[in-house]
Amino acid sequence: MGFGVVFTQGVASGDPHQVVGEILEQAEAADRLGYFAALTTEHKYSQEYFGSPLHLAYAIAARTQSVKVGTSIAIAPLYNPMELAQDAAMLDQLSGGRLYLGLGAGYLPEDYQTVGVPWEGRVQRFDETVRIIRQAWTSDRFSFTDRIYDFQDVSVIPRPVQSPPPIHLAAWSPGGLARAGRLGDGWISNALMSVDTMRQMGDTYREAARRSGRTPHVTAIRFCWTAESREDAVRDFGATAIDMVRTLWSYGAITDMPDVTAADQITLEDLMRDRMIFGTPDECRSAIADYRAKAGVDDFLLIFRHPSGPDQDRVLAAMELFASEVMDTDPGPARP
């Protein structure tokens, strides 16, 4: 059981050099404060996200000692699978066995267009990529042939420190959840599904994992803001939260708001109800208990900053308050 941090900033946040420096400062804070992971994510075409998640993860690994480093998520079909296996293995070596590899298929054609990978066939490409990475990490040499990829007598050198690192798969569709259960070591939710949606998807994933003989593990990505009062939380994070959610809704990343027909209909109250960890330490603890009791969440990956804010000092203060008043007093999971 743990709480990690995911960084969702890009050039929209300001000067890229400064923003990357702020991400590294947040990662160092996460390491110091006892978070279990400090992870990157990506969109290839976006002003709002950086498109080189493993490169940024290398820098985070060099600046930290204990946190898991890697991706939540990298869009796996956009990469040559052997290069992805090699680069992730090197990150595991660089970090002394701290690699966390979260992979997804992506949901925006623009990501594929940016790097010249066809949108059609992405599911098969994703499936094969996961299988190739796992085989590359567990075999001295191997061959692989399927519908898309054909590798003969290949290897990854050096192999990862972990034997092998776990692979966590993001999914929202029935097929994706089945794939996460069949191929993955864990399932990662999206950032804004409701607790009821997470419960339903989690049940589908857990059943698929058990059918495949795997131990299920559910990781919830949540936008998070902890403050001394609800008023402070609304002041510091309310506008950011609304901006973030309306943007993601317009991208098609929120699929369980059937009554919403326009982004400006989404309110902060909608989000605070069961889609964020938000408010005072007591309110944050209550939300976490709900996710565990109702959806069987094992780990949380928290987003404290969206490309539009808040500013760095407030982000670091919220991370510290969460670590001292929520994370350090957490009673442990309540399983469904």
Side-chain angles (χ1 to χ4, degrees):
M1 172 60 228
F3 298 93
V5 182
V6 179
F7 307 115
T8 59
Q9 294 144 257
V11 298
S13 302
D15 174 72
H17 180 73
Q18 178 178 337
V19 174
V20 169
E22 290 174 349
I23 289 174
L24 294 176
E25 186 179 12
Q26 292 169 41
E28 290 174 322
D31 199 43
R32 181 180 70 253
L33 294 169
Y35 291 86
F36 86 89
L39 305 177
T40 61
T41 189
E42 71 171 323
H43 282 298
K44 290 297 186 190
Y45 72 96
S46 177
Q47 297 286 310
E48 297 172 332
Y49 298 84
F50 290 123
S52 303
L54 281 175
H55 296 79
L56 184 53
Y58 294 148
I60 291 171
R63 296 275 287 265
T64 57
Q65 299 295 321
S66 300
V67 287
K68 295 284 187 182
V69 293
T71 60
S72 182
I73 52 88
I75 306 172
L78 304 186
Y79 296 85
N80 177 293
M82 283 300 294
E83 286 188 317
L84 182 55
Q86 180 74 72
D87 291 347
M90 182 54 70
L91 179 56
D92 202 47
Q93 288 287 344
L94 174 67
S95 64
R98 292 188 281 133
L99 172 67
Y100 183 108
L101 189 65
L103 301 176
Y107 60 91
L108 291 173
E110 292 89 341
D111 286 316
Y112 285 73
Q113 293 164 5
T114 298
V115 295
V117 173
W119 176 251
E120 296 75 17
R122 66 191 179 281
V123 171
Q124 180 70 22
R125 193 177 296 271
F126 182 40
D127 186 290
E128 291 184 28
T129 295
V130 175
R131 290 155 51 207
I132 290 166
I133 292 171
R134 195 178 298 282
Q135 197 163 352
W137 285 350
T138 55
S139 305
D140 288 332
R141 303 195 71 81
F142 73 100
S143 298
F144 179 96
T145 301
D146 206 327
R147 288 163 49 190
I148 294 176
Y149 294 111
D150 182 12
F151 294 102
Q152 298 301 316
D153 193 29
V154 294
S155 63
V156 161
I157 301 173
R159 300 244 296 272
V161 174
Q162 299 177 77
S163 300
I167 302 174
H168 302 263
L169 302 183
W172 307 345
S173 68
L177 294 165
R179 187 178 310 106
R182 175 170 54 88
L183 295 177
D185 298 298
W187 168 59
I188 304 173
S189 79
N190 80 7
L192 284 163
M193 61 177 58
S194 70
V195 69
D196 285 342
T197 299
M198 193 183 299
R199 175 186 56 77
Q200 294 165 13
M201 290 190 178
D203 287 347
T204 300
Y205 155 72
R206 278 184 283 264
E207 178 57 30
R210 289 168 182 143
R211 285 198 307 268
S212 297
R214 294 185 174 277
T215 301
H217 189 97
V218 173
T219 299
I221 298 183
R222 295 286 91 173
F223 285 87
C224 179
W225 196 259
T226 308
E228 296 291 352
S229 69
R230 171 63 71 93
E231 293 75 21
D232 287 350
V234 171
R235 179 199 66 205
D236 292 342
F237 199 64
T240 291
I242 288 294
D243 177 59
M244 160 203 67
V245 172
R246 290 175 177 173
T247 297
L248 291 174
W249 184 90
S250 69
Y251 285 170
I254 305 173
T255 59
D256 59 349
M257 288 184 168
D259 296 332
V260 174
T261 58
D264 60 8
Q265 295 173 357
I266 301 172
T267 69
L268 187 58
E269 287 300 322
D270 293 331
L271 310 181
M272 293 188 298
R273 189 175 302 114
D274 67 350
R275 295 175 189 265
M276 293 174 53
I277 297 172
F278 183 91
T280 66
D282 283 345
E283 289 173 314
C284 290
R285 282 191 292 269
S286 177
I288 289 164
D290 260 3
Y291 287 118
R292 288 181 170 167
K294 295 177 181 178
V297 172
D298 297 293
D299 289 326
F300 292 86
L301 295 174
L302 307 176
I303 300 171
F304 287 93
R305 183 172 179 181
H306 188 250
S308 63
D311 62 39
Q312 182 77 343
D313 289 345
R314 289 180 176 176
V315 169
L316 295 172
M319 289 177 62
E320 184 160 0
L321 183 61
F322 184 93
S324 63
E325 299 294 331
V326 180
M327 192 161 67
D328 285 352
T329 61
D330 182 71
R335 306 289 187 218

